[in-house]
Amino acid sequence: MKQLILASQSPRREMLLKQIGVSFKTHPSNIDENMTENVGPEDYVRSVAERKAFKVKEYFCSRGHNFFVVLAADTVVVHEGVILGKPADEGHAFEMLSRLSGRWHEVMTGVSVLDGDEDKKLTCVEITKVKMRDLSPDEIWKYIRTGEPLDKAGAYGIQGIGALMVERIEGCFYNVVGLPLHRVSVMLSQFGIKTVLG
């Protein structure tokens, strides 16, 4: 079986892959995630995931390795067509969470899988709808002071304390955490990478 390389150092993505029994090693892509062209959120996450995967593939191929498969992903929070990235500071986190309070938003993850010795590539975008409950300013500040929102897209983490703010979701829960596990497992199986049930 080919070695799976996760093009990320995200502890959440590592945890999710381990959860489904996939053996892998990590290698961050360290790409510039800023897009110069004006594209929509779906095209953005698709492009970033593909660029992450290609960067890591190039790294290993340039060192004479090719018996591997690369998995890369990029997750964003989108409200009314606007991407909400990681907050710059506590004030920015408050603005984001106030904007999401009581409203629906979307979490989009672009996933790209590449083969090291073939031109085979699969890319998809998984979308989950999330409804945030109505939050008071005091609740938002209490959450911000936990420190949890400051390194999260959209300023919240559903797998942590942020779960208390989510009223309901439509779609894949794991997509909101950072990796749509069912879709990823189907994609990996097409490259010979099996899960614990595989």
Side-chain angles (χ1 to χ4, degrees), residues 22-181:
V22 174
S23 175
F24 64 96
K25 65 180 181 179
T26 61
H27 186 89
S29 60
N30 296 322
I31 66 162
D32 179 2
E33 296 186 18
N34 293 317
M35 297 284 287
T36 54
E37 62 268 30
N38 186 21
V39 297
E42 287 186 59
D43 289 334
Y44 172 81
V45 292
R46 181 181 291 108
S47 176
V48 172
E50 288 181 345
R51 288 192 291 127
K52 285 180 177 180
F54 274 114
K55 181 77 177 289
V56 171
K57 177 178 177 175
E58 286 176 353
Y59 173 86
F60 284 96
C61 286
S62 70
R63 285 156 177 76
H65 305 292
N66 59 14
F67 199 68
F68 64 86
V69 173
V70 180
L71 167 64
D74 188 62
T75 302
V76 297
V77 170
V78 180
H79 181 252
E80 295 181 344
V82 177
I83 293 175
L84 304 182
K86 296 177 182 179
D89 52 35
E90 290 187 349
H92 192 203
F94 182 84
E95 288 176 22
M96 285 188 184
L97 292 168
S98 297
R99 177 176 184 162
L100 297 177
S101 174
R103 298 179 175 92
W104 284 93
H105 63 273
E106 296 174 318
V107 177
M108 299 183 185
T109 301
V111 180
S112 188
V113 184
L114 299 180
D115 196 300
D117 63 356
E118 299 177 17
D119 289 331
K120 185 175 181 180
K121 175 186 79 171
L122 292 177
T123 303
C124 75
V125 176
E126 183 83 14
I127 301 174
T128 303
K129 294 183 178 181
V130 181
K131 171 73 182 303
M132 195 78 78
R133 69 177 177 83
D134 285 314
L135 301 167
S136 69
D138 183 56
E139 287 175 313
I140 293 173
W141 279 117
K142 281 181 179 178
Y143 179 55
I144 290 170
R145 291 189 184 107
T146 69
E148 184 176 276
L150 298 181
D151 68 339
K152 308 282 192 304
Y156 77 96
I158 197 171
Q159 73 281 2
I161 301 167
L164 296 172
M165 304 187 303
V166 174
E167 186 174 308
R168 56 187 294 206
I169 70 169
E170 292 181 1
C172 177
F173 167 81
Y174 297 103
N175 186 49
V176 186
V177 181
L179 206 59
L181 287 183

